[in-house]
Short mmCIF file of all heavy atoms in Angstrom, two decimals:
data_model
loop_
_atom_site.label_atom_id
_atom_site.label_comp_id
_atom_site.label_asym_id
_atom_site.label_seq_id
_atom_site.Cartn_x
_atom_site.Cartn_y
_atom_site.Cartn_z
N ASN A 163 6.79 13.74 -13.31
CA ASN A 163 8.29 13.31 -13.49
C ASN A 163 8.94 14.44 -14.34
O ASN A 163 8.22 15.42 -14.83
CB ASN A 163 8.45 12.01 -14.14
CG ASN A 163 7.78 11.92 -15.59
OD1 ASN A 163 7.56 12.92 -16.27
ND2 ASN A 163 7.56 10.65 -15.93
N SER A 164 10.23 14.35 -14.68
CA SER A 164 10.89 15.38 -15.31
C SER A 164 10.50 15.48 -16.74
O SER A 164 10.86 16.46 -17.41
CB SER A 164 12.41 15.07 -15.16
OG SER A 164 12.76 13.84 -15.74
N SER A 165 9.82 14.54 -17.38
CA SER A 165 9.43 14.62 -18.73
C SER A 165 8.24 15.49 -18.96
O SER A 165 7.82 15.74 -20.16
CB SER A 165 9.14 13.29 -19.26
OG SER A 165 8.06 12.66 -18.60
N GLY A 166 7.66 16.00 -17.90
CA GLY A 166 6.44 16.87 -17.99
C GLY A 166 5.19 16.12 -18.20
O GLY A 166 4.19 16.80 -18.54
N VAL A 167 5.14 14.88 -17.97
CA VAL A 167 3.82 14.09 -18.12
C VAL A 167 2.78 14.61 -17.01
O VAL A 167 3.21 14.87 -15.88
CB VAL A 167 4.07 12.64 -17.94
CG1 VAL A 167 2.65 11.89 -18.07
CG2 VAL A 167 4.94 12.13 -19.01
N SER A 168 1.65 14.93 -17.45
CA SER A 168 0.58 15.33 -16.53
C SER A 168 0.35 14.51 -15.33
O SER A 168 0.29 13.26 -15.52
CB SER A 168 -0.67 15.48 -17.32
OG SER A 168 -1.84 15.49 -16.47
N PRO A 169 0.30 14.99 -14.14
CA PRO A 169 0.09 14.26 -12.94
C PRO A 169 -1.26 13.51 -13.09
O PRO A 169 -1.40 12.32 -12.63
CB PRO A 169 -0.02 15.25 -11.76
CG PRO A 169 0.84 16.46 -12.25
CD PRO A 169 0.59 16.46 -13.83
N GLN A 170 -2.26 14.05 -13.67
CA GLN A 170 -3.56 13.41 -13.83
C GLN A 170 -3.48 12.18 -14.65
O GLN A 170 -3.99 11.17 -14.40
CB GLN A 170 -4.57 14.41 -14.44
CG GLN A 170 -5.03 15.53 -13.58
CD GLN A 170 -3.98 16.60 -13.37
OE1 GLN A 170 -3.06 16.77 -14.17
NE2 GLN A 170 -4.17 17.52 -12.33
N LEU A 171 -2.61 12.26 -15.73
CA LEU A 171 -2.49 11.13 -16.74
C LEU A 171 -1.70 10.02 -16.02
O LEU A 171 -2.09 8.81 -16.16
CB LEU A 171 -1.76 11.61 -17.93
CG LEU A 171 -2.65 12.45 -18.91
CD1 LEU A 171 -1.70 12.81 -20.07
CD2 LEU A 171 -3.80 11.75 -19.33
N GLU A 172 -0.76 10.32 -15.16
CA GLU A 172 -0.02 9.33 -14.43
C GLU A 172 -0.88 8.70 -13.39
O GLU A 172 -0.76 7.43 -13.22
CB GLU A 172 1.25 9.92 -13.78
CG GLU A 172 2.27 10.28 -14.81
CD GLU A 172 3.63 10.36 -14.12
OE1 GLU A 172 3.85 10.84 -13.06
OE2 GLU A 172 4.66 9.89 -14.74
N CYS A 173 -1.73 9.45 -12.72
CA CYS A 173 -2.65 8.86 -11.74
C CYS A 173 -3.68 7.93 -12.37
O CYS A 173 -4.10 6.90 -11.88
CB CYS A 173 -3.24 10.00 -10.92
SG CYS A 173 -2.21 10.74 -9.81
N VAL A 174 -4.16 8.37 -13.62
CA VAL A 174 -5.11 7.45 -14.38
C VAL A 174 -4.37 6.15 -14.68
O VAL A 174 -5.01 5.09 -14.60
CB VAL A 174 -5.51 8.21 -15.72
CG1 VAL A 174 -6.17 7.19 -16.72
CG2 VAL A 174 -6.53 9.37 -15.39
#
Side-chain angles (χ1 to χ4, degrees):
N163 64 17
S164 58
S165 65
V167 176
S168 158
Q170 289 77 15
L171 289 179
E172 289 205 318
C173 288
V174 166

